[in-house]
Amino acid sequence: MIGILAGMGPKSTGPFVDRVVDQCQQIYGAKYDIDFPHMMIYSCPTPFYMDRPVDHAAMEKAIIDGAQKLERTGVVFIAIPCNTAHLYYENIKNSVSVPVLNIVDETILRLPKTAEKIALLATPATVQSGIYQKSLENLGLDCLHQDHWQQWVNAIITNIKTGEIQEANVLWQRLYSELVRKADVAILACTDLNVVAKGSAEELVLIDSSECLAQAVVKRYVHAKEEGE
């Protein structure tokens, strides 16, 4: 049974589960209901606010509590479709006895080899933590960043969380138009962003961290079944 610790934010949970289902169809040809995996999905509210500093101790405690609850249900591994949660990855991983997939590692693996100009679209907490920048630096790559891009991303995420999707789409189109001129790859390092990014024109390579993690979930599930875990 797959463990999915979601709810960060709430609107990203459903789309992530859909992506896992899509990957089951693509990776091993799931067709009938019985072909799909057992999943325990825990939507775990966390004390995260776009308009105030992150209380890291409270965030980490909420996520670790959620991971431990999932473990007690009998899942064989855990995926957390939230990039900001991975600021605490090592402590989360050490708090449970089952494997925890890493969304950052899985996303970096999907970068095209030709990538040169990479824009990172994420919450301020994720950007400031440097978890993506460190991985990119190890590959000899740098992130493009502009303050007004971050302001747009913040506003898009806030609008998505408050249900103002039309406003979020307008801002996304403005941001996307500028990214096309400045970058060749953009990493969607906030799972909320797939609400507006889906269906974008293919002028820019979008690496969706949510999709990368969903693919890793299904590959790990297939491996677990083969190993009889």
Side-chain angles (χ1 to χ4, degrees), residues 76-194:
V76 296
F77 67 92
I78 294 172
I80 309 174
C82 171
N83 287 273
T84 303
H86 284 69
L87 274 63
Y88 323 108
Y89 176 77
E90 290 300 322
N91 287 341
I92 297 168
K93 181 181 71 172
N94 293 333
S95 75
V96 294
S97 60
V98 296
V100 180
L101 302 185
N102 188 309
I103 196 171
V104 179
D105 292 346
E106 299 300 336
T107 301
I108 294 298
L109 286 172
R110 294 282 296 277
L111 283 174
K113 293 182 179 180
T114 56
E116 294 181 355
K117 301 175 182 178
I118 302 169
L120 177 65
L121 310 181
T123 65
T126 299
V127 172
Q128 292 162 13
S129 73
I131 55 176
Y132 272 93
Q133 294 92 322
K134 290 172 187 173
S135 294
L136 290 170
E137 285 172 9
N138 290 337
L139 296 174
L141 300 170
D142 294 320
C143 281
L144 299 179
H145 186 269
Q146 295 190 20
D147 289 342
H148 68 280
W149 290 357
Q150 189 62 54
Q151 291 170 4
W152 286 344
V153 169
N154 295 351
I156 290 167
I157 295 171
T158 298
N159 284 330
I160 290 170
K161 289 182 181 295
T162 56
E164 298 169 345
I165 306 303
Q166 184 174 350
E167 290 82 351
N169 276 312
V170 170
L171 287 170
W172 169 253
Q173 290 304 321
R174 186 184 304 171
L175 173 59
Y176 185 83
S177 295
E178 188 161 326
L179 289 172
V180 167
R181 299 194 301 271
K182 303 286 187 178
D184 48 42
V185 176
I187 297 175
L188 304 182
C190 174
T191 52
D192 278 320
L193 292 175
N194 62 45

Side-chain angles (χ1 to χ4, degrees), residues 209-222:
S209 61
S210 180
E211 182 178 354
C212 296
L213 183 62
Q215 185 177 90
V217 163
V218 177
K219 288 183 176 179
R220 182 69 180 82
Y221 166 73
V222 171

Side-chain angles (χ1 to χ4, degrees), residues 198-214:
K198 188 176 181 180
S200 295
E202 297 181 0
E203 302 165 279
L204 176 71
V205 176
L206 297 177
I207 305 298
D208 184 349
S209 61
S210 180
E211 182 178 354
C212 296
L213 183 62

